[in-house]
Amino acid sequence: MKETIQKKGSGKVVLACDLGGTRMKFGIVRGGGVLAETIEPARAQEGLAPQLLVIRAAWLRLLERLHLGISDCVGISVSFPSLIDATTGRVLAEYGKYADAPRLDLRAWARAEFGLPLAIENDARMALIGEWRAGAGRGVDNLVMITLGTGLGTAAVIEGRVLRGRHGQAGVLGGHLTVRYGGRKCNCGNLGCAEAEASTSFLGELGPTLPEFDASPLRRVAPLNYGLVFQSAAAGDPCALRLRDHSLLVWGALAVNLIHAYDPELLILGGGIMKSADVILPAIERYVRDCAHTPWGRVKISASKLEDRAALVGAEWLLAEQYGRGKQPRAGRE
Ligand SMILES: [Zn+2]
């Protein structure tokens, strides 16, 4: 690892973390690259406060591996699964994960524990920032992203600026755009959200609504996951085929909604479900080709390049944006 650093040159590093619902990913980031990384179980049901010691220990362990100390760090970047007020750095709401987070002042914690500034951002927006600065979206100024996973995350960059809106909601509520009028009740309160119609967290509800479910091997698995749905669909299971094809239509409709809303040149698809990209990518391309109104040409559709590192890679850029001089600087390459 030390050799890696020497090759990459000197300069300050960023302590980055991506706090997911089931796992917390940590990285030491410099020059758009992750120098060292580790993963810890999230225990999100216990709240965020009990995890702060785990988070601190993980970063210190990574720094030690790299023969670095806190004095080599320029700041902290946190990717978090909620709406975030970028001005205050406060978490605005909780969705059953890290329920105490809106009451915590993470910036104060970072100052007290490390003497470092902390920047925090919504996880899907953070993934898009990473892809935009150093992944599939490099060099593109108008792009949107969908992360297909436990929930459906989205984010947008328009004319070279990360879209946030007055309350941090702009672009990131794509999973809660209505794709079925009068459809399934979503956790957000809306009916027929894309997330409620096709995401891992709703698969357990969706499966049993199908008449083919009782005779399907999917019935024996709890919690149901898309890896198994795609695998069983490939083997010809009628229930899995229906679930797969229904989900592809929902994600296609979501893609068209985002294209109509934000006028991107590029749509990036990421998230854990994209392990089945060989099926998903062509299906979304076909749906968008048939249904999106883009008389100027075609929106390019790509799979995430950075995969589960995307939210870490954007760390330097986020810090520079929130604490650096000027507005929205270029990628944090030194
Ligand atoms: Zn919703």
Side-chain angles (χ1 to χ4, degrees):
M1 273 306 174
K2 196 171 183 185
E3 287 72 21
T4 313
I5 291 170
Q6 285 166 349
K7 268 184 213 160
K8 280 179 172 284
S10 60
K12 298 262 183 177
V13 298
V14 173
L15 304 176
C17 68
D18 180 14
L19 303 179
T22 53
R23 54 183 211 162
M24 303 188 288
K25 197 166 171 67
F26 301 92
I28 307 294
V29 179
R30 180 168 64 202
V34 181
L35 303 182
E37 60 192 297
T38 188
I39 290 171
E40 296 280 347
R43 298 191 184 92
Q45 305 307 325
E46 295 169 16
L48 184 55
Q51 314 308 327
L52 293 177
L53 279 176
V54 179
I55 292 170
R56 182 177 181 277
W59 278 329
L60 293 179
R61 219 168 45 243
L62 288 177
L63 284 173
E64 198 181 329
R65 256 167 60 186
L66 295 166
H67 307 285
L68 297 173
I70 293 295
S71 61
D72 297 302
C73 303
V74 70
I76 292 174
S77 165
V78 178
S79 165
F80 196 82
S82 180
L83 293 172
I84 307 293
D85 183 329
T87 319
T88 62
R90 300 300 286 245
V91 175
L92 289 174
E94 60 93 3
Y95 302 94
K97 295 173 270 190
Y98 308 108
D100 57 345
R103 299 189 298 278
L104 299 180
D105 185 344
L106 291 176
R107 284 185 180 170
W109 168 73
R111 285 278 177 210
E113 284 287 337
F114 303 97
L116 291 172
L118 176 144
I120 178 168
E121 184 52 279
N122 167 272
D123 53 354
R125 197 180 273 136
M126 202 63 220
L128 175 59
I129 290 171
E131 293 290 344
W132 178 39
R133 304 322 307 176
R138 256 186 111 171
V140 179
D141 279 341
N142 295 276
L143 64 162
V144 294
M145 181 158 184
I146 303 174
T147 58
L148 303 169
T150 309
L152 300 185
T154 67
V157 166
I158 296 183
E159 294 174 348
R161 294 188 69 84
V162 176
L163 186 66
R164 288 200 174 84
R166 173 69 184 86
H167 308 98
Q169 294 195 186
V172 295
L173 288 188
H176 303 280
L177 291 174
T178 307
V179 294
R180 191 158 70 94
Y181 170 71
R184 188 177 307 281
K185 180 80 172 171
C186 182
N187 296 330
C188 77
N190 189 20
L191 300 174
C193 291
E195 179 165 312
E197 298 294 333
S199 69
T200 303
S201 57
F202 280 87
L203 261 184
E205 277 185 42
L206 284 161
T209 63
L210 300 176
E212 297 89 344
F213 187 70
D214 281 347
S216 167
L218 299 182
R219 190 169 179 269
R220 295 193 292 272
V221 180
L224 202 48
N225 63 76
Y226 271 102
L228 189 67
V229 168
F230 279 89
Q231 192 188 325
S232 303
D237 175 56
C239 179
L241 279 165
R242 274 189 69 176
L243 272 177
R244 182 195 73 181
D245 293 345
H246 162 81
S247 300
L248 291 171
L249 291 175
V250 168
W251 301 332
L254 172 57
V256 169
N257 284 346
L258 294 179
I259 289 165
H260 287 177
Y262 301 124
D263 187 16
E265 304 153 66
L266 170 68
L267 163 67
I268 300 172
L269 296 170
I273 299 175
M274 277 295 282
K275 289 194 175 72
S276 303
D278 57 326
V279 177
I280 297 170
L281 214 51
I284 305 298
E285 276 169 348
R286 200 176 320 119
Y287 193 102
V288 166
R289 189 178 62 229
D290 292 346
C291 300
H293 183 66
T294 53
W296 52 268
R298 274 193 199 160
V299 176
K300 187 167 180 264
I301 301 178
S302 298
S304 155
K305 200 167 160 187
L306 303 172
E307 299 179 348
D308 62 353
R309 283 178 168 175
L312 298 180
V313 165
E316 289 160 300
W317 188 90
L318 186 75
L319 262 176
E321 184 205 35
Q322 296 194 4
Y323 291 96
R325 275 170 289 171
K327 54 181 183 182
Q328 302 217 350
R330 304 297 294 175
R333 297 190 183 282
E334 292 167 295

